[in-house]
Amino acid sequence: MSGPRILAIETSCDETGVAVVDGGRRIAANVVASQVALHAVTGGIVPEVAARQQLRWIVPSIEAAFEAADTGWEDLDAIAVTYGPGLIGSLLVGVNVAKALAASHGRPLVGVNHIEGHIYANWLTDAPDLLPAEPPFPLLCLVVSGGHTQLVLMADHGRYRLLGQTVDDAAGEAFDKVGRLLGLPYPGGPAISAAAEGAAPATRFPLARPGGRYDFSFSGLKTAVLREVEGYRARGEPIPVDGIAAAFEKAVVEQLVRRTVAAAEEHDVAAVALGGGVAANRALRRTLGERLGGLPLLVPPPAWCTDNGAMIGAAAAFRFAAGDRADASLEAVPALALPWQTAA
Ligand code: KG4
Ligand code: ZN
């Protein structure tokens, strides 16, 4: 396999992800220590708990990744780490460990933006021999996670233009909050998706129309679900959880799909790519695929949509090839943005 072998570390939120990736494409190991079960107890992420768990699991995860890839320091060309956006306490763990490893083993360090990682999940493969074709440019990327909802036009590696984003909650955050309103387990995304599968929508929620052409809004929808639930409670009727979940999911998907299809047409893109935890949603994948007609839709497998180290290793390889190097001064940046360009 040509290209650098990169050790990639992702600790921006509540998953400890460590991967070994070759040439930015091929996964040699992808270890994820998840805190989902822990946060299910509190119904959401408690930042200090997340940071402490990162500290607990980072070294065992690195050891497990080395073992899974059957690799050692002599084979590694660089160390990559997510330095933002994310929770400060969680980010600090990965950044600090990556800096220490880079210094002690004399390897170059590459800082990676978490959102860029979600996009580059589309470059990954675990195919044993044949390397699939790379995603084509211009590429329209819909990044939908627990913390972010952005429509990004990618002209080439590292060249991003922000077409639109949420004006309030992220799509995944809306799933999680509505899941809690409906009494479903955390995280709400997979739970709502499972409840909605095959259920007839119990109502029809109106489509949000925030300011910008490609902007998103989900907080009004969350309030509409709350009113609906309160209505059933006030009337003493049982709450049709599956039907409300289906109506909510439909409204979210419709908003995401309409903006994405319109942007794909306007910018005449070569393909559309999904990324982020909500990209694991089956209704979103299905509906977007149908509405895009013949345009290729790239969707990473669910395990690469949610936070993981491999996607950071993929993004890092292209930054590494472009000469990007971080040093001991690398800081964790909770509100880190992609380097937006005004025209693609
Ligand atoms: O990308 P991710 O792992 O973490 C962030 O960077 O935020 O995304 C987690 C989010 C959660 O809000 C979760 O509810 C959502 O992704 N999610 C889903 C599904 N699986 C995960 N949302 C809708 N449908 C799913 N199947
Ligand atoms: Zn993420």
Side-chain angles (χ1 to χ4, degrees), residues 281-299:
N281 186 275
R282 283 174 44 196
L284 174 62
R285 294 167 174 237
R286 193 182 334 119
T287 313
L288 191 53
E290 285 164 9
R291 304 270 185 90
L292 283 173
L295 199 62
L297 173 64
L298 313 176
V299 197

Side-chain angles (χ1 to χ4, degrees), residues 114 118 145-147 172 175-176 187 189-190 276-278 280-281 305-307:
H114 181 78
H118 275 306
S145 73
F175 269 100
D176 295 338
V278 181
N281 186 275
C305 286
T306 48
D307 293 350

Side-chain angles (χ1 to χ4, degrees), residues 1-2 25-26 125-132:
M1 172 85 212
S2 58
R25 310 263 348 250
R26 189 156 275 156
T125 178
D126 57 6
D129 21 66
L130 263 186
L131 204 58

